Amino acid sequence: MNQFYSRLLLALIMLISALGMAQELLKGRVIDETTEEPIPGAIIIIRGSSLQATTDAQGYFIFEQDLEEGDQMLIIESNEYLTRNIPVVIVTGSTVNLDPLYLKVDNIQQEQAQGIVSLTENDLADDDNAANNVSGLLQATRDQFLRAAAFDFSATFFRPRGLNSEDGKILINGLEMNKQFSGRPQWSNWGGINDLQRNQTFTMGLAPADDTFGGYGGVQSINMRASQQRAGSQISYASANRSYRARFMGTYKSGLLSSGWAYAITASRRSGEEGFVDGTLYDANSLSINVEKKLNENHSLNFTGIYASNRRGRRTAITDEIKDLKGIEYNPFWGIQDNTQRNSRIREIDEPILMLNHYWNISPKVELQTNVSYQFGKIGNTRIDNGGTRLAILDGQSAYIGGATNPNPDYYQNLPSFFLRNGTDPQNLASAFLAEQEFINDGQLDWPQLYDANRIVRNAGGNSIYIIQNDRIDDNQIQASSILTADLADNILLTAGLNYRNLKSDNYAEVQDLLGGTGYLDVDFFAEETTQITQDLAAQSDVRNPNRIATEGDRYKYNYVIDADVAGAFAQTQFKTNKVDFYMAGSVTRTEYQRDGKYENGNYLGNLSFGKSEKVDFTDFGVKGGATYKINGLNLLNFNAAYLTKAPYIRNTFSNARQNNEIVDGIESSKSYSLDAGYIYRSPIVKFRLTGYYLKFEDENDLGFYFTEDLTGLPSDDGAAFVQEVLTNVDRRNVGVEMGVEYQVTPTINLKAAAAVGQNVYTNNPNLYLTSDDFPGRQLTFGDGTTKLKNYHVAGGPETAMQIGFEYRDPEYWNIGVTANYFANAYSDISNLRRSDNFALDFDGQPLTDYDEDLAKQLLQQEQFEDYALVNVIGGKSWRIDNKYVGFFATINNVFDVEYKTGGFEQSRNSNFRSVRDDSNNPTEVFAPRYFFGNGTTYYLNVYLRF
């Protein structure tokens, strides 16, 4: 046996040595036609063969395989450059050296890549929608299907393969940008610096990435090295009506100077009183500075600093009743104060990033990149807190007097449906009509009324009953990574890396604005007495500081820190042969979380809420592999497979982190596996890809927070509670096909099409339990403890998306493109609680006497949204004046102003058969599903000068 291994090792050494001595038959260097800078990552293909090469950081490529003698055609492709075909003649014994080989910038693609960030920033910055939006991941791809998903499908929150943004990875200079709290990229952290993020590569799906193990959603790797930026300057102005109204941007890039220094800086300002949706203000400033020093031929040091401050007014989902009265632009969060729009829900992000990167060329075939970063700052989300009270002593007992009505104009008691719930007699009809007219004519937040209410209470010696609460997250994160790339042979590439992230996340509520009052009593007005805890005690957010009066800038309500440590390693090997390219990769990750409570909550005394929680840890691994079989130079087959385990994110680990140290019962890493297979046809005229995929996810978990009624297992007069809903043991399956095709009819006309047909469903009945401070120390379960989700669709964008379109590129540097896009099979998010046994049970746990099985099936049927089609137009023109470029880029989305739903959810306030049935029998449901509507016709126009 030892002799066998010795011979095998000797054979491998001889093979690698032979490969290393292969003759250079074709080589060259690909550079930018305008700037003379090298283009890394360009792909060079020999038409009609299965051979290809990729340029290195200096733009060089080499073919050392056995090339067929005679006339050959090279195809050179690179992101943001026009594809070029070059004829060559191969002669055995001699070397063809194509140095230099110039590529022209593809102005159309470049402007589209810049535009996609601007067009989707409004949605990417909104937590309610960002989970479903992966368009930011797809900017750097030339694949026709994925480009359609990024540019045309993104407005509908279509998700390729049913994946969310946390299923992909975003890296800047080799450092991961996905947040540890949710796994999602915080797009606003680098918004507004587009000009310095053009050097991007996107690795699709499980395919091998250059600097990380990756995920099912692929890897977007952004290289902001100053020396890699194309030298030049640019100023631009953009006008739009989707998120911001105006954007100014200026950029300077020096390129690598003879002194070994390189500089790149960009600054931008984006602003608007409102976007397409009313009251959604936009106020953002961005600055990025990049400095690199080439120490010698083998060492370079790069600094990247990013400051992107973003302040936005938020919107919310609305019911069909509200939409019919006010339109899809309606937003209940804003009102007029001192003749100015003011939004009560402001999201503010201010988290600077500092990076230092060291690049070491150990040898011509071995490179080591080492990176460190520090990110700090704040995220704030404001809202109105209407629970203000004053402390009184009644009969020797403490009592809290006050509280205020819900001020939101879309509160259900302000809508016509509320007055029709008990019938349509004349009095109810009259009340409904008055409510309708008041809502139509106004329907906005009444800021003066809030100030007046506080003034009246203040004059009587009381505290504010209305304030602006700011939910703050102040993160401090240190990150380090090291990535080794080694060409073991001309056809064997090894990539390996280590990474570590340490997060200290400070979470608390802050009194931002007392709205004219003098203070706010920090107690829970809705707290209830239990057999173990008095009402006075239960009401305290911190029993160590009871009945505290909070003033502006003070912390109140909740206050805790999350400590998180994540360490990982990966290794990946890629092999290239004449007929088959294949790869194998593996990763291991260690994750630890711990909560440190700074308040002792009145419902969770002692270490149930105060001090450090139990430390929870997870060890995970992943393996993946794949192969590309080259039938010939035009036809390829591609296969990928993976098995991964993944730790839950912070948001899914603690059942109610704002109040206590409780960890989700049975928390564990999720498991998943994936298979995909595809056929690729690639010629200078036609590019085609068809891929089928299968993904299975097991043992996932999820949390939800809402107010509900009619809970069984509680006293009949106390079936309502604000609850935390915990789902565990969640299994789901994503299966489908995707296709993209381009046909270059003439040198100026390009036809294109894309399609995706999938199905994303739950495959089991997960466990469900509720927790609440209304029943502290208890977990409320129903029947067998599950929710019947099997075969329901996982909500999140359309499962079917199709496109057909064309582009015309005139030789005089103007272009226009039109796409028609069709979407179907989108579903509303269902109420998990309604699918539990609670739906059929009375307060006492007994079956409802009037339960109707057939009617229940109708009430629990998942809503499918209507199909719709959208037409988008894109165009631009550029002029070259001496060495300067002047141009514009414009898009019109949803040309025909089609109304459509991008998402929605059932409300869980009505939680059993009787209440859901009764509400559905009303003329208009009081607690109807809420929806997100897509934008109507929107435009984006960018004018630029490059010099």
Side-chain angles (χ1 to χ4, degrees):
M1 184 63 71
N2 290 336
Q3 186 178 15
F4 169 78
Y5 284 119
S6 299
R7 290 177 177 175
L8 179 62
L9 179 61
L10 179 61
L12 288 173
I13 293 173
M14 293 175 65
L15 175 61
I16 293 173
S17 299
L19 291 169
M21 293 184 292
Q23 182 186 0
E24 297 178 357
L25 297 177
L26 175 62
K27 65 181 181 179
R29 190 185 194 203
V30 182
I31 62 177
D32 185 291
E33 181 184 65
T34 304
T35 67
E36 301 281 341
E37 294 292 326
I39 302 175
I43 298 174
I44 298 89
I45 302 167
I46 298 180
R47 184 197 297 177
S49 80
S50 58
L51 304 177
Q52 70 177 48
T54 304
T55 58
D56 62 17
Q58 301 304 316
Y60 290 106
F61 69 90
I62 299 175
F63 281 93
E64 295 179 327
Q65 299 97 328
D66 292 331
L67 302 181
E68 185 176 342
E69 283 194 276
D71 295 338
Q72 303 287 353
M73 183 67 72
L74 289 189
I75 303 172
I76 302 95
E77 298 179 343
S78 183
N79 194 46
E80 294 194 357
Y81 289 87
L82 294 172
T83 299
R84 187 177 178 187
N85 299 323
I86 301 290
V88 296
V89 179
I90 303 297
V91 178
T92 302
S94 64
T95 300
V96 177
N97 187 7
L98 302 175
D99 185 0
L101 201 163
Y102 294 106
L103 289 187
K104 292 182 178 180
V105 172
D106 185 344
N107 291 313
I108 299 173
Q109 185 185 357
Q110 196 173 82
E111 290 304 320
Q112 284 180 336
Q114 178 171 303
I116 183 61
V117 179
S118 305
L119 290 169
T120 60
E121 259 178 332
N122 181 65
D123 301 312
L124 294 175
D126 190 336
D127 269 355
D128 293 329
N129 298 322
N132 294 337
N133 199 321
V134 298
S135 60
L137 275 167
L138 306 178
Q139 305 162 41
T141 178
R142 297 184 71 92
D143 180 88
Q144 172 53 35
F145 169 77
L146 294 180
R147 285 173 61 80
F151 292 95
D152 294 293
F153 298 170
S154 63
T156 71
F157 293 97
F158 167 77
R159 301 177 300 158
R161 304 189 183 184
L163 298 170
N164 291 326
S165 58
E166 63 262 34
D167 293 309
K169 299 293 184 184
I170 299 280
L171 279 76
I172 297 180
N173 293 354
L175 292 162
E176 184 176 337
M177 293 291 105
N178 299 59
K179 285 286 190 179
Q180 294 192 56
F181 174 75
S182 64
R184 303 170 187 168
Q186 182 65 64
W187 309 97
S188 296
N189 282 161
W190 54 89
I193 59 171
N194 315 2
D195 285 351
L196 296 188
Q197 296 190 324
R198 297 188 183 279
N199 294 331
Q200 301 184 17
T201 57
F202 177 75
T203 303
M204 184 172 62
L206 294 170
D210 293 334
D211 37 22
T212 185
F213 179 80
Y216 294 125
V219 177
Q220 181 187 5
S221 184
I222 302 171
N223 181 1
M224 294 184 66
R225 286 184 66 178
S227 66
Q228 300 296 309
Q229 302 289 335
R230 187 183 304 125
S233 300
Q234 175 169 305
I235 55 175
S236 64
Y237 169 78
S239 174
N241 69 336
R242 183 171 181 176
S243 51
Y244 52 74
R245 294 288 178 165
R247 188 203 69 194
F248 300 89
M249 183 180 294
T251 304
Y252 168 74
K253 296 175 284 188
S254 70
L256 185 61
L257 303 174
S258 59
S259 62
W261 287 94
Y263 310 91
I265 181 170
T266 190
S268 73
R269 164 73 179 162
R270 292 160 291 159
S271 62
E273 184 175 299
E274 62 184 5
F276 181 83
V277 175
D278 296 340
T280 51
L281 73 89
Y282 204 110
D283 180 13
N285 299 291
S286 300
L287 173 67
S288 180
I289 299 174
N290 299 263
V291 180
E292 182 173 351
K293 172 60 176 175
K294 185 176 181 181
L295 305 176
N296 53 45
E297 289 302 315
N298 296 321
H299 294 271
S300 293
L301 202 60
N302 182 85
F303 167 79
T304 294
I306 301 173
Y307 176 72
S309 175
N310 188 295
R311 184 171 173 268
R312 297 189 56 250
R314 303 188 68 180
R315 60 174 180 168
T316 188
I318 58 177
T319 64
D320 275 334
E321 177 186 16
I322 295 172
K323 183 265 297 181
D324 291 340
L325 295 174
K326 299 289 286 187
I328 62 175
E329 301 93 344
Y330 175 70
N331 180 10
F333 290 155
W334 69 274
I336 297 296
Q337 180 182 348
D338 298 330
N339 298 318
T340 302
Q341 281 189 358
R342 182 179 180 183
N343 192 313
S344 65
R345 299 285 185 106
I346 297 294
R347 180 171 177 83
E348 185 173 2
I349 300 173
D350 194 339
E351 296 186 302
I353 305 171
L354 305 176
M355 294 182 179
L356 191 63
N357 314 98
H358 176 247
Y359 302 90
W360 180 16
N361 296 322
I362 299 174
S363 73
K365 293 192 175 184
V366 180
E367 299 176 1
L368 181 66
Q369 178 182 340
T370 302
N371 319 289
V372 293
S373 71
Y374 176 56
Q375 184 174 14
F376 58 98
K378 65 179 181 180
I379 299 175
N381 288 283
T382 66
R383 58 191 176 95
I384 295 174
D385 185 340
N386 62 313
T389 59
R390 63 183 176 87
L391 176 64
I393 306 298
L394 302 177
D395 298 327
Q397 300 292 323
S398 297
Y400 301 106
I401 300 174
T405 59
N406 191 321
N408 292 329
D410 66 336
Y411 185 53
Y412 75 99
Q413 294 183 13
N414 296 330
L415 298 174
S417 57
F418 175 74
F419 299 97
L420 299 177
R421 73 194 191 285
N422 293 323
T424 55
D425 59 70
Q427 183 176 352
N428 290 334
L429 286 172
S431 298
F433 177 76
L434 291 174
E436 177 187 82
Q437 293 305 303
E438 183 175 350
F439 191 73
I440 291 175
N441 295 326
D442 185 8
Q444 299 304 144
L445 192 62
D446 192 342
W447 287 105
Q449 183 184 45
L450 304 187
Y451 278 88
D452 288 344
N454 280 348
R455 177 181 52 80
I456 293 171
V457 175
R458 182 191 65 210
N459 292 340
N463 309 302
S464 289
I465 55 176
Y466 293 108
I467 66 168
I468 297 297
Q469 171 182 329
N470 190 17
D471 294 308
R472 285 280 295 271
I473 302 175
D474 295 357
D475 282 354
N476 283 270
Q477 178 176 266
I478 298 173
Q479 183 175 181
S481 72
S482 191
I483 304 164
L484 176 71
T485 303
D487 287 308
L488 302 182
D490 294 323
N491 61 341
I492 302 176
L493 176 65
L494 170 68
T495 308
L498 301 172
N499 58 80
Y500 172 74
R501 291 199 287 174
N502 172 265
L503 171 68
K504 187 178 184 66
S505 180
D506 196 4
N507 298 257
Y508 57 92
E510 174 190 54
V511 178
Q512 186 182 83
D513 191 340
L514 288 168
L515 301 180
T518 58
Y520 188 86
L521 182 61
D522 184 16
V523 297
D524 180 4
F525 176 68
F526 300 100
E528 298 182 3
E529 183 174 340
T530 68
T531 55
Q532 294 84 21
I533 303 173
T534 65
Q535 182 183 20
D536 180 46
L537 193 60
Q540 304 300 325
S541 66
D542 183 12
V543 298
R544 298 172 183 242
N545 293 280
N547 300 321
R548 172 180 48 221
I549 302 296
T551 59
E552 290 181 0
D554 287 349
R555 300 187 182 199
Y556 84 118
K557 192 170 284 190
Y558 66 89
N559 186 11
Y560 66 95
V561 173
I562 295 289
D563 292 310
D565 280 290
V566 179
F570 80 96
Q572 173 180 277
T573 307
Q574 300 176 62
F575 304 85
K576 293 179 182 283
T577 68
N578 287 343
K579 296 297 290 183
V580 180
D581 294 346
F582 62 98
Y583 72 93
M584 299 176 292
S587 70
V588 61
T589 306
R590 174 76 173 180
T591 304
E592 294 183 350
Y593 304 137
Q594 188 172 40
R595 179 186 185 273
D596 186 2
K598 303 303 180 182
Y599 284 175
E600 183 179 356
N601 187 276
N603 284 296
Y604 304 95
L605 299 176
N607 60 8
L608 293 178
S609 61
F610 187 76
K612 294 187 176 182
S613 71
E614 173 190 348
K615 183 177 289 187
V616 59
D617 58 75
F618 309 90
T619 300
D620 299 284
F621 67 93
V623 291
K624 68 176 183 178
T628 299
Y629 175 69
K630 309 165 194 175
I631 302 173
N632 52 44
L634 301 177
N635 300 273
L636 301 92
L637 298 177
N638 181 262
F639 307 91
N640 296 282
Y643 177 80
L644 312 177
T645 70
K646 185 169 67 173
Y649 299 112
I650 294 171
R651 67 180 298 271
N652 293 340
T653 300
F654 300 92
S655 61
N656 186 10
R658 290 188 174 183
Q659 287 189 319
N660 59 59
N661 283 332
E662 291 180 4
I663 296 169
V664 168
D665 268 6
I667 190 76
E668 61 178 327
S669 294
S670 63
K671 294 89 177 171
S672 61
Y673 49 89
S674 171
L675 296 169
D676 67 65
Y679 166 71
I680 300 169
Y681 178 83
R682 187 174 56 198
S683 76
I685 296 176
V686 177
K687 294 181 175 63
F688 173 82
R689 177 175 70 84
L690 177 68
T691 301
Y693 62 88
Y694 177 93
L695 296 105
K696 184 68 186 300
F697 301 87
E698 298 176 348
D699 298 326
E700 294 186 320
N701 75 309
D702 196 18
L703 294 181
F705 302 84
Y706 52 84
F707 180 78
T708 187
E709 298 177 337
D710 310 318
L711 292 175
T712 189
L714 296 179
S716 59
D717 62 344
D718 195 21
F722 183 83
V723 301
Q724 298 83 50
E725 177 189 272
V726 182
L727 281 186
T728 60
N729 188 36
V730 180
D731 295 351
R732 56 190 177 92
R733 180 190 67 233
N734 299 356
V735 61
V737 294
E738 55 192 26
M739 181 273 293
V741 60
E742 290 183 87
Y743 176 45
Q744 195 73 45
V745 182
T746 71
T748 58
I749 298 176
N750 182 42
L751 300 182
K752 57 185 181 180
V757 178
Q759 184 189 67
N760 313 317
V761 297
Y762 295 102
T763 58
N764 75 331
N765 296 324
N767 300 321
L768 180 148
Y769 71 86
L770 305 180
T771 66
S772 174
D773 58 14
D774 289 321
F775 42 91
R778 287 186 58 187
Q779 293 181 358
L780 204 59
T781 59
F782 313 100
D784 64 1
T786 66
T787 176
K788 312 307 185 289
L789 300 187
K790 189 173 182 179
N791 295 326
Y792 279 99
H793 290 260
V794 180
E799 293 179 345
T800 298
M802 299 181 182
Q803 177 192 90
I804 187 169
F806 77 91
E807 287 182 357
Y808 174 78
R809 300 175 181 236
D810 193 89
E812 296 300 319
Y813 296 100
W814 66 269
N815 66 89
I816 187 170
V818 179
T819 61
N821 307 276
Y822 170 76
F823 303 96
N825 300 325
Y827 297 87
S828 179
D829 201 0
I830 58 177
S831 164
N832 301 318
L833 182 57
R834 290 186 185 180
R835 275 79 186 173
S836 73
D837 286 346
N838 181 79
F839 190 72
L841 300 178
D842 213 333
F843 290 106
D844 56 5
Q846 298 300 310
L848 291 167
T849 57
D850 53 351
Y851 188 79
D852 184 323
E853 187 73 34
D854 293 332
L855 180 57
K857 289 181 180 180
Q858 296 179 31
L859 296 174
L860 296 178
Q861 185 173 355
Q862 188 172 18
E863 179 183 3
Q864 181 176 345
F865 300 150
E866 293 182 0
D867 303 354
Y868 55 94
L870 305 177
V871 174
N872 302 325
V873 177
I874 185 171
K877 167 70 174 171
S878 64
W879 297 266
R880 182 171 182 174
I881 305 173
D882 296 328
N883 291 323
K884 302 178 179 64
Y885 285 90
V886 179
F888 73 89
F889 165 78
T891 67
I892 302 175
N893 286 63
N894 192 3
V895 172
F896 298 109
D897 202 26
V898 174
E899 182 180 297
Y900 61 98
K901 295 173 179 176
T902 61
F905 57 92
E906 296 175 345
Q907 298 192 64
S908 293
R909 180 152 183 161
N910 290 330
S911 60
N912 72 10
F913 168 80
R914 188 175 293 156
S915 60
V916 174
R917 177 202 61 194
D918 293 347
D919 199 12
S920 68
N921 288 332
N922 287 324
T924 302
E925 285 185 72
V926 177
F927 299 107
R930 286 181 170 261
Y931 305 106
F932 292 101
F933 290 88
N935 293 333
T937 301
T938 58
Y939 76 91
Y940 172 80
L941 171 65
N942 184 53
V943 181
Y944 61 88
L945 169 64
R946 285 204 299 267
F947 55 94

